[in-house]
Amino acid sequence: MDQVEIFKALSNKTRLQILAWLKDPEFSFPEQAVHGYADGVCVGQIQLKTGLTQSTVSEYLSVLQRAGLVTSTRKGQWTYYKRNEEAFAALSQLIQSEI
């Protein structure tokens, strides 16, 4: 776990918002209920909710993925993202023990 990468990823308000939405995707992205949430949330849905360009949202998600905070699954032309809850558990332990 690269602590610097994690804290850099968490230093952006929109990235924090994306992580909050992905914590409860059923509530945050009800329009995706038809397809389910097993693979995560489609990047297009995240982009619509942020109101930012697709390239900006993709960059934000890449930063979160490099930090290990989200995982992605590709299905055809679509990419789905979900939180890596194991990383959040490890981060919580790190904060409690070292900082």
Side-chain angles (χ1 to χ4, degrees):
M1 174 182 289
D2 185 344
Q3 298 169 14
V4 173
E5 284 299 314
I6 290 171
F7 288 110
K8 279 184 186 177
L10 296 174
S11 70
N12 176 283
K13 188 176 183 177
T14 303
R15 289 192 295 259
L16 285 172
Q17 185 64 65
I18 291 169
L19 290 170
W21 291 332
L22 292 177
K23 186 173 184 177
D24 189 4
E26 293 86 357
F27 176 77
S28 300
F29 301 95
E31 59 280 356
Q32 190 175 303
V34 173
H35 303 290
Y37 304 94
D39 294 316
V41 176
C42 180
V43 69
Q45 296 295 328
I46 297 168
Q47 188 262 322
L48 285 173
K49 196 161 181 83
T50 63
L52 300 171
T53 65
Q54 196 271 332
S55 61
T56 299
V57 172
S58 290
E59 176 57 29
Y60 284 172
L61 290 166
S62 291
V63 169
L64 293 171
Q65 188 170 15
R66 282 192 304 270
L69 298 172
V70 298
T71 60
S72 67
T73 302
R74 187 136 177 103
K75 288 197 160 186
Q77 65 184 24
W78 309 109
T79 304
Y80 296 82
Y81 287 88
K82 63 181 173 180
R83 283 173 44 125
N84 179 356
E85 295 301 334
E86 291 174 5
F88 281 93
L91 178 60
S92 177
Q93 275 194 310
L94 170 74
I95 290 170
Q96 291 177 15
S97 66
E98 293 187 25
I99 298 178

